[in-house]
């Protein structure tokens, strides 16, 4: 697709837009994207404006920062208050509000919290500070989990005794199953995440069409990728032929990335996990296997965590399940803005509320 000329891209976009309009057929349909990168790409390319009014695009639980529950934040904050601990984290996590504080507030008050761009950087900090316990906040889906696993293997190899991981890794397919089982999201088709799929391949999504008769397409991130993916979904819906298709086959191999999956399963095993706004989902998270438990922060560094409280009025849970749009939240754009987020969905640039605020504010007249 990168090799197409601008004129070819325009012609293809026109074709998909017209075909989508023909296939839309007047019936109201809800298509859910499950990836923050898609959420932003849809806004940036103005995809909604190209679709017929009866096709609604809603965001699902596709932003890792958004789905991380308060209890995890509160635990990280409690660790950051220990004088012998260095917290290492991706920058997105800093501003996420916990029950009564945030890592940004703790950092401003003197906690040693360092932004890193990979788990390997956290490992380096541990090597350079043998007198400190260095905790890496491992948040993310199948895309980032393999690098956290690799860091643990390297720490084991190097016999590091001061490197720990606080794992909140989540798995996408069990969350989709939970949404469909709950039945209140009324999704007619899924735009599946390209990056996650590049790791796990196609097989983990097979249940969508086989068990729930839901159309699904693994989608790329260019505007044309998204338009073509919507077109593929509408074809499946129109002809009542729900199946799993791979629009992003130039990046997503059918069996995924076997090397990454091997590293992942060497270090982690599936476990039940709590998702913000959705609750506990069976086998939707990753915990460190017994062999590497010396690197598990929760098991090795005792901590007392305050009682978890949810932000009053925040609708993140309903937004993440596609039940409400960010603009349905009474706090959106008023008390809750990117510079002063009340809920996690307003923090990350790929958070649903943040994307709606940044790219949709004019259109939605906030
Ligand atoms: S606008 Fe803010 S308070 Fe409302 S749901 Fe989004 S993050 Fe939560």
């Amino acid at each position: 697709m990168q090799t197409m000329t601008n004129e070819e891209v325009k012609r293809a976009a026109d074709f998909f837009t017209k075909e989508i309009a023909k296939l839309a057929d007047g019936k109201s349909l809800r298509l859910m994207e499950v990836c923050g990168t898609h959420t932003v790409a849809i806004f940036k390319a103005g995809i909604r404006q190209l679709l017929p009014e009866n096709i609604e695009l809603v965001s699902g639980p596709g932003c890792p920062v958004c789905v991380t529950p308060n209890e995890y934040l509160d635990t990280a904050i409690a660790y950051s208050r220990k004088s012998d601990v260095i917290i290492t984290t991706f920058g997105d996590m800093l501003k996420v509000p916990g029950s009564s504080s945030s890592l940004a507030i703790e950092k401003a008050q003197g906690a040693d919290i360092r932004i890193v761009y990979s788990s390997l950087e956290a490992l380096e900090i541990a090597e350079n500070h043998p007198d400190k316990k260095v905790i890496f906040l491992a948040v993310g889906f199948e895309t980032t989990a393999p690098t956290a696993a690799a860091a643990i293997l390297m720490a084991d190899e190097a016999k590091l005794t001061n490197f720990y991981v606080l794992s909140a890794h989540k798995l996408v397919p069990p969350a989709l199953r939970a949404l469909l089982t709950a039945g209140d999201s009324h999704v007619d088709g899924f735009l599946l995440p390209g990056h996650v799929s590049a790791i796990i391949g196609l097989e983990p999504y097979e249940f969508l069409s086989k068990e729930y008769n839901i159309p699904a397409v693994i989608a790329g991130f260019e505007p044309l990728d998204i338009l073509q993916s919507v077109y593929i979904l509408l074809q499946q819906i129109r002809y009542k032929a729900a199946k799993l298709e791979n629009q992003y086959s130039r990046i997503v191999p059918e069996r995924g990335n076997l090397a990454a999956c091997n590293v992942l399963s060497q270090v982690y095993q599936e476990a039940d996990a709590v998702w913000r706004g959705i609750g506990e989902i069976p086998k939707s998270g990753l915990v460190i296997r017994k062999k590497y438990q010396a690197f598990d922060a929760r098991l090795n560094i005792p901590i007392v965590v305050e009682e978890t409280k949810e932000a009053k009025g925040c609708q993140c849970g309903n937004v993440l399940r596609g039940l409400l749009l960010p603009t349905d939240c009474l706090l959106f754009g008023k008390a809750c803005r990117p510079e002063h987020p009340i809920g996690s969905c307003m923090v990350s640039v790929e958070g649903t509320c943040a994307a709606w605020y940044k790219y949709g504010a004019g259109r939605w007249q906030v």
Side-chain angles (χ1 to χ4, degrees):
M1 204 161 279
Q2 289 94 332
T3 55
M4 293 171 79
T5 64
N6 286 346
E7 190 50 39
E8 286 168 335
V9 169
K10 190 175 172 313
R11 270 207 303 274
D14 283 347
F15 169 80
F16 288 129
T17 307
K18 282 182 188 143
E19 290 302 308
I20 286 169
K22 281 189 220 159
L23 288 165
D25 208 15
K27 189 181 161 206
S28 291
L29 295 171
R30 303 185 89 224
L31 308 180
M32 178 178 274
E33 89 270 359
V34 198
C35 171
T37 312
H38 276 147
T39 305
V40 171
I42 286 166
F43 269 118
K44 278 187 169 173
I47 300 284
R48 279 188 179 81
Q49 289 88 326
L50 295 176
L51 300 181
E53 281 191 356
N54 57 313
I55 307 292
E56 188 185 7
L57 295 181
V58 293
S59 304
C63 152
V65 171
C66 304
V67 301
T68 302
N70 263 6
E71 185 274 336
Y72 180 87
L73 263 306
D74 294 341
T75 305
I77 288 164
Y79 277 134
S80 77
R81 291 173 179 161
K82 289 174 81 81
S83 58
D84 60 344
V85 163
I86 299 174
I87 296 287
T88 54
T89 177
F90 298 133
D92 277 1
M93 291 296 288
L94 270 196
K95 279 168 68 182
V96 183
S99 294
S100 61
S101 183
S102 69
L103 291 169
I105 291 172
E106 299 301 321
K107 186 172 167 62
Q109 290 174 352
D112 196 343
I113 299 170
R114 305 186 190 190
I115 293 174
V116 293
Y117 295 93
S118 80
S119 50
L120 302 182
E121 237 182 286
L123 204 58
E124 206 177 303
I125 292 171
E127 280 168 339
N128 293 336
H129 296 83
D131 54 326
K132 298 278 189 179
K133 297 180 174 78
V134 175
I135 300 177
F136 174 64
L137 305 188
V139 171
F141 296 124
E142 291 91 334
T143 333
T144 50
T147 56
I152 289 174
L153 289 178
M154 289 168 77
D156 188 48
E157 178 80 22
K159 301 199 178 346
L160 275 185
T161 56
N162 67 328
F163 176 73
Y164 302 92
V165 168
L166 185 61
S167 178
H169 283 305
K170 303 260 187 300
L171 305 173
V172 170
L176 303 183
R177 183 184 284 281
L179 287 183
L180 293 172
T181 304
D184 51 3
S185 298
H186 304 297
V187 177
D188 295 296
F190 282 112
L191 290 166
L192 297 172
H195 298 143
V196 166
S197 307
I199 302 293
I200 64 176
L202 275 62
E203 194 277 331
Y205 302 115
E206 294 284 0
F207 72 95
L208 292 170
S209 55
K210 289 187 177 156
E211 296 179 39
Y212 293 90
N213 202 31
I214 291 281
V217 58
I218 295 168
F221 299 98
E222 298 294 330
L224 207 49
D225 288 324
I226 297 170
L227 274 180
Q228 185 179 16
S229 299
V230 170
Y231 166 70
I232 289 170
L233 286 180
L234 291 189
Q235 275 192 320
Q236 291 188 30
I237 292 167
R238 173 77 179 265
Y239 299 111
K240 297 189 176 23
K243 57 186 165 185
L244 171 64
E245 293 191 63
N246 184 8
Q247 184 278 335
Y248 205 29
S249 58
R250 66 185 188 275
I251 297 292
V252 177
E254 189 169 341
R255 297 179 65 204
N257 182 330
L258 293 179
C261 290
N262 283 342
V263 171
L264 201 55
S265 62
Q266 203 180 330
V267 174
Y268 286 110
Q269 64 188 53
E270 293 172 359
D272 301 348
V274 176
W275 293 55
R276 185 186 293 263
I278 301 177
E280 187 168 281
I281 302 177
K283 294 189 173 176
S284 67
L286 294 171
V287 294
I288 297 170
R289 286 186 187 277
K290 204 169 178 187
K291 182 176 178 190
Y292 299 103
Q293 278 182 349
F295 302 102
D296 190 327
R298 288 185 198 267
L299 295 180
N300 294 285
I301 312 174
I303 196 80
V304 177
V305 181
E306 66 177 309
E307 194 186 336
T308 298
K309 289 183 285 222
E310 297 301 329
K312 215 173 156 194
C314 175
Q315 299 288 343
C316 267
N318 288 326
V319 169
L320 290 168
R321 287 186 291 151
L323 302 181
L324 291 180
L325 294 179
T327 44
D328 294 325
C329 173
L330 296 176
L331 306 178
F332 180 81
K334 299 180 181 84
C336 184
R337 300 182 307 280
E339 66 275 18
H340 181 262
I342 305 275
S344 60
C345 301
M346 190 56 95
V347 177
S348 163
V349 283
E350 296 194 340
T352 312
C353 296
W356 277 71
Y357 185 85
K358 183 166 181 190
Y359 301 106
R363 187 172 179 218
W364 308 107
Q365 298 180 322
V366 173

